[in-house]
Amino acid sequence: MGNLSTTDVIIRNAETADVSALTVLILQVWLDTYVKQGVKRSIADYVLSELTTARTTAYLAQDHTHILLAEVNGHLVGYCQTLNGKRNAQVQGEHQAELDHLYVHPAFFGRGIGRQLLAEAEAHLRELGVQQIWLTAWVGNDKALRFYPRAGYADIGATIFRMENEEVANRIFCKTL
């Protein structure tokens, strides 16, 4: 594949026609990131109930949700989803948004696609008057834990993600726009 130039990557808003490809990308990246020791029932149940085309369609229909896609040669290779107005008690500031997802296909890691998606998402939120953008990252996701501080996000605390009866430790990152 070689190195990508910024002209090889197209960043655009998601559309209803993208639902199936987007859902498959979400599944692939989620499984690659979080399923490191094999599949157990709680993981399978979560994936089959939450990472569905119906859920992706619902997100696309929400006014406060903004989804950007990254394509290379007509193939979906990344996406970024923000939720304007989603608040976190550990974040200061009235006008907040959550960076809900920033996923890049594993074959395209390290090529600047995540940074491009993030920059576009931040610019969009800035235009809407958002002052603080925050996110949570799993403590076992070393790539994310390195990526966000380099992108100007400060680690401001801890939180727990609940999946059935399991508690999964996460870090909270925040950036002033």
Side-chain angles (χ1 to χ4, degrees):
M1 274 187 247
N3 290 334
L4 292 174
S5 74
T6 54
T7 58
D8 294 329
V9 180
I10 296 171
I11 306 291
R12 65 175 179 82
N13 289 323
E15 301 171 357
T16 305
D18 299 311
V19 166
S20 60
L22 178 54
T23 303
V24 170
L25 177 71
I26 291 167
L27 283 163
Q28 180 174 25
V29 174
W30 197 95
L31 292 168
D32 186 68
T33 302
Y34 299 107
V35 182
K36 298 294 187 191
Q37 298 175 331
V39 179
K40 57 183 178 176
R41 188 186 58 79
S42 60
I43 289 172
D45 290 347
Y46 178 83
V47 167
L48 294 173
S49 67
E50 299 295 321
L51 306 182
T52 65
T53 54
R55 181 63 58 114
T56 304
T57 300
Y59 274 123
L60 274 171
Q62 294 176 346
D63 288 337
H64 66 283
T65 300
H66 185 239
I67 299 175
L68 291 170
L69 304 180
E71 292 181 331
V72 174
N73 297 323
H75 293 86
L76 184 59
V77 299
Y79 102 107
C80 183
Q81 178 174 310
T82 57
L83 305 174
N84 186 17
K86 180 112 182 251
R87 298 183 57 80
N88 184 305
Q90 295 186 51
V91 174
Q92 301 299 313
E94 185 176 331
H95 302 290
Q96 298 180 22
E98 180 184 15
L99 175 61
D100 192 30
H101 295 104
L102 177 58
Y103 286 1
V104 175
H105 187 289
F108 291 84
F109 284 168
R111 297 174 184 230
I113 293 170
R115 285 197 185 279
Q116 283 182 263
L117 284 165
L118 188 57
E120 293 272 344
E122 289 173 354
H124 171 77
L125 291 171
R126 207 175 285 112
E127 288 175 9
L128 297 175
V130 171
Q131 297 167 334
Q132 301 288 329
I133 183 170
W134 62 272
L135 64 104
T136 60
W138 173 48
V139 297
N141 187 347
D142 294 334
K143 287 181 179 112
L145 298 178
R146 288 189 309 268
F147 174 81
Y148 290 110
R150 288 193 312 252
Y153 287 74
D155 184 333
I156 63 166
T159 189
I160 298 294
F161 174 77
R162 288 179 175 71
M163 186 170 47
E164 292 190 10
N165 294 329
E166 293 182 48
E167 292 187 346
V168 180
N170 279 253
R171 299 303 303 167
I172 302 169
F173 290 87
C174 182
K175 180 178 182 179
T176 300
L177 297 179

